[in-house]
Amino acid sequence: MNRHSARARLRHPRLRTRISPGDTMYRPGPAAYFPVGRSALHAIEEVLALAGSGGVNPILDLPCGHGRVLRWLRSRYPDAVITACDIDRPGVDFCARTFGAEPVYGSERFAETRLPRRYDLVWCGSLLTHLDLAAWREALSLLVDALRPGGVLIASTHGPTALENIRRRHPTRLWGLDQSGGDRLIRAFESGGFGYADYPKRAGYGISLATPSFVEAVLAELPGVDGGRVLERRWADHHDIAYCVKTSEVDTQAGGPLRESVRRPAAKPRRSAPR
Ligand SMILES: C[S@@+](CC[C@H](N)C(=O)[O-])C[C@H]1O[C@@H](n2cnc3c(N)ncnc32)[C@H](O)[C@@H]1O
């Protein structure tokens, strides 16, 4: 155990600090890994308070990766059923083995992912940040369908802060994109509020950027949800955090509400203060 794991364990005795050898999120080093996971948990708890959410059991972490955030969910909610879903099967297996998560292998096409239950909390960290708008809509449809009435979807997005941070750190190769991809991403973001470019040689997976108002407009299109809001720079001072609350079951075939909400969201939360 290195000193970062030891320190995290000391401060958070319930935290399991074992690292999967396949966890690419660990590559930048251990110093950031645990604080980034903890920051996600703080953002999740802030949203749950704003949304007036009662219980959070069961929980879905999609994509779970190799448990960077799931380990914190497990330490905070030791008795909850937590479903770990990803297309990275070794990651799912690691989360099941190490954190007692319920394993579900995801599908590249979101519409083909089968989830075993409905959730009070769906956490989607660092997925929309890598998808184009059509894939955002497919992913959001799956994730909202997976909520129980009253359940909360929380997803991270790249907004103006992420762009500012990356420009400062890697001004010439934004997120490892090639020059034309980076230019396309910025142009579309600045002109229409949303931009996307593939990573070099990875069709369909890259970097997206979205203004908070664009994200809120996308959430507002989702049937059967309410309270679509964005809290800026809430995850590790880098990702924005978008959330919405499921108010009713919607028959996506017929397009109409089937069942009204059992729990209404709390009064409209304030927008984050500009910093
Ligand atoms: C940047 S990683 C984030 C992982 C994790 N949420 C974290 O914060 O450490 C993005 C993850 O999305 C997963 N992913 C990509 N497409 C997916 C899909 N269609 N269904 C489920 N997971 C997917 C990848 O396998 C990868 O684990």
Side-chain angles (χ1 to χ4, degrees):
M1 187 187 292
N2 64 46
R3 73 191 154 89
H4 299 285
S5 310
R7 193 178 307 148
R9 189 62 158 297
L10 204 61
R11 289 196 190 146
H12 308 277
R14 277 209 300 247
L15 185 74
R16 297 182 202 165
T17 52
R18 201 161 149 227
I19 302 294
S20 159
D23 193 346
T24 54
M25 299 295 106
Y26 192 71
R27 279 193 197 143
Y33 186 84
F34 293 109
V36 167
R38 192 185 56 225
S39 162
L41 179 63
H42 287 165
I44 290 167
E45 296 209 290
E46 179 180 358
V47 169
L48 292 175
L50 287 170
S53 180
V56 280
N57 182 17
I59 298 170
L60 170 65
D61 185 349
L62 188 167
C64 60
H66 291 245
R68 179 171 57 158
V69 176
L70 196 145
R71 68 184 66 236
W72 289 93
L73 288 168
R74 172 54 77 214
S75 77
R76 174 69 183 82
Y77 303 105
D79 301 322
V81 171
I82 304 183
T83 302
C85 179
D86 202 294
I87 53 172
D88 180 338
R89 293 184 171 204
V92 172
D93 294 343
F94 180 81
C95 288
R97 241 185 358 259
T98 314
F99 311 116
E102 173 183 55
V104 174
Y105 296 146
S107 167
E108 290 277 354
R109 302 195 54 198
F110 293 104
E112 290 169 7
T113 292
R114 296 283 167 263
L115 295 163
R117 56 185 84 245
R118 299 280 177 99
Y119 299 89
D120 283 337
L121 166 64
V122 172
W123 162 247
C124 175
S126 214
L127 176 68
L128 301 181
T129 47
H130 297 286
L131 302 179
D132 67 17
L133 190 53
W136 269 46
R137 293 201 162 103
E138 285 163 22
L140 288 170
S141 168
L142 169 72
L143 298 174
V144 164
D145 270 357
L147 288 172
R148 287 177 176 167
V152 186
L153 164 63
I154 308 178
S156 78
T157 58
H158 284 140
T161 303
L163 178 58
E164 206 180 287
N165 289 342
I166 291 293
R167 270 183 164 150
R168 215 171 30 241
R169 281 185 237 147
H170 310 285
T172 54
R173 267 203 107 208
L174 296 174
W175 283 283
L177 299 172
D178 58 26
Q179 185 72 48
S180 72
D183 291 348
R184 214 169 43 251
L185 173 75
I186 303 297
R187 251 196 328 273
F189 174 65
E190 289 181 345
S191 63
F194 185 90
Y196 171 82
D198 284 340
Y199 284 130
K201 304 196 178 92
R202 287 198 70 181
Y205 198 72
I207 290 291
S208 69
L209 273 175
T211 59
S213 56
F214 189 96
V215 177
E216 288 176 355
V218 172
L219 295 178
E221 288 170 5
L222 297 169
V225 303
D226 200 356
R229 300 280 178 278
V230 174
L231 304 176
E232 292 184 52
R233 59 191 294 185
R234 278 308 198 284
W235 186 10
D237 212 17
H238 189 59
H239 284 201
D240 294 344
I241 290 292
Y243 72 96
C244 59
V245 180
K246 176 108 155 221
T247 53
S248 57
E249 291 290 359
V250 169
D251 178 353
T252 43
Q253 303 293 308
L258 295 177
R259 195 146 48 97
E260 277 315 301
S261 69
V262 291
R263 260 191 284 147
R264 298 288 303 169
K268 198 170 170 177
R270 61 176 173 75
R271 289 287 303 270
S272 59
R275 294 185 200 175

